[in-house]
Amino acid sequence: MNRWQEPQAIAELAREVTVVRRPNPFTALYHWRYEIGALVVFPYALFSLFQAVGPIWAAVVLFGVANWLFYWKSARRFVRDRLRSVVVQHRLRTGFARARVCTLDGKLPVILWTKPRGDEVEVTVFCPAGVGYERIEQRRALLAAACFATDVHVYRHHKRANVVHLSVCTARLRKDADEDEVTPARRYAGQTAGVAIPLPGHVAGIPRAARR
């Protein structure tokens, strides 16, 4: 090991033995926003329904909603995809902590948003100072295992280096005859991992000054 490699090796060792920080209260509330919303909204909605129409008609309405979700394929897929995106968020945070995708003082990246798209879940991640695209790219196999996913594709933001896009492929492994890799999401089709993703079509033609 030469003197130029020694600082990187020391930093890597410090990262491996550091204690991962717990999120502050505001970040923790944001992480659990869906569960908190469900615990608040669902009981209130049920109470309001029973108060408005009575127990018998409330049971009829609940039975109708359950049948609607069971037989309407689009609604069932919508609920399934949203639940899957919530699970991916929590598993990805756990993967960040276990794979040591963190700063030297233990600060983890923050998941800003997730969106299901077909067999993939698109994730936008805000990286603190000391974590970037390279660190997440190195650990993407461990992140895929943490998310119970087939693969995780990592892409740079088109303008900001501290924002990274992830495409978590949650489909079963499908291989073509001439291809040994899983196809990424349609949004990233044709893009090489590591390049900046293009702007959407309805934004690409707008001048930069107007987009600010």
Side-chain angles (χ1 to χ4, degrees):
M1 181 184 301
N2 56 44
R3 62 177 182 175
W4 304 109
Q5 295 175 340
E6 186 175 356
Q8 287 79 5
I10 295 175
E12 186 65 27
L13 178 60
R15 200 193 307 267
E16 293 295 333
V17 300
T18 189
V19 178
V20 177
R21 280 190 188 181
R22 290 183 177 273
N24 60 64
F26 296 102
T27 305
L29 288 175
Y30 183 75
H31 288 173
W32 295 92
R33 61 191 182 279
Y34 296 109
E35 291 80 0
I36 294 174
L39 290 176
V40 172
V41 173
F42 284 169
Y44 178 77
L46 290 176
F47 178 79
S48 301
L49 180 62
F50 275 84
Q51 288 290 326
V53 300
I56 297 178
W57 281 107
V60 172
V61 171
L62 293 176
F63 180 78
V65 171
N67 278 274
W68 172 65
L69 291 176
F70 182 79
Y71 288 105
W72 191 9
K73 186 176 180 180
S74 298
R76 190 168 66 250
R77 185 187 302 114
F78 176 85
V79 174
R80 181 197 64 193
D81 290 345
R82 265 52 189 184
L83 291 176
R84 182 182 59 181
S85 65
V86 173
V87 173
V88 166
Q89 285 188 61
H90 293 302
R91 295 303 305 171
L92 197 57
R93 293 189 192 99
T94 302
F96 285 155
R98 299 297 183 268
R100 286 299 186 267
V101 182
C102 60
T103 61
L104 294 180
D105 57 352
K107 185 179 293 187
L108 296 173
V110 177
I111 297 177
L112 298 178
W113 197 252
T114 58
K115 180 179 180 181
R117 188 183 293 269
D119 292 331
E120 286 84 15
V121 177
E122 297 180 5
V123 185
T124 302
V125 177
F126 176 84
C127 299
V131 178
Y133 160 80
E134 290 77 11
R135 184 69 182 179
I136 299 177
E137 171 66 23
Q138 292 172 0
R139 295 293 193 267
R140 69 188 190 96
L142 297 177
L143 297 178
C147 297
F148 310 114
T150 307
D151 200 356
V152 172
H153 302 274
V154 188
Y155 302 87
R156 300 178 189 271
H157 190 267
H158 65 279
K159 187 164 59 174
R160 295 179 177 86
N162 61 331
V163 178
V164 178
H165 297 281
L166 279 71
S167 179
V168 181
C169 180
T170 57
R172 293 182 178 179
L173 186 62
R174 297 191 303 270
K175 293 185 178 181
D176 299 331
D178 300 330
E179 191 176 18
D180 292 334
E181 294 183 356
V182 179
T183 304
R186 295 190 198 92
R187 178 183 178 187
Y188 308 112
Q191 299 295 324
T192 304
V195 301
I197 63 172
L199 290 174
H202 63 280
V203 181
I206 302 177
R208 179 175 297 180
R211 296 200 299 266
R212 293 178 179 174

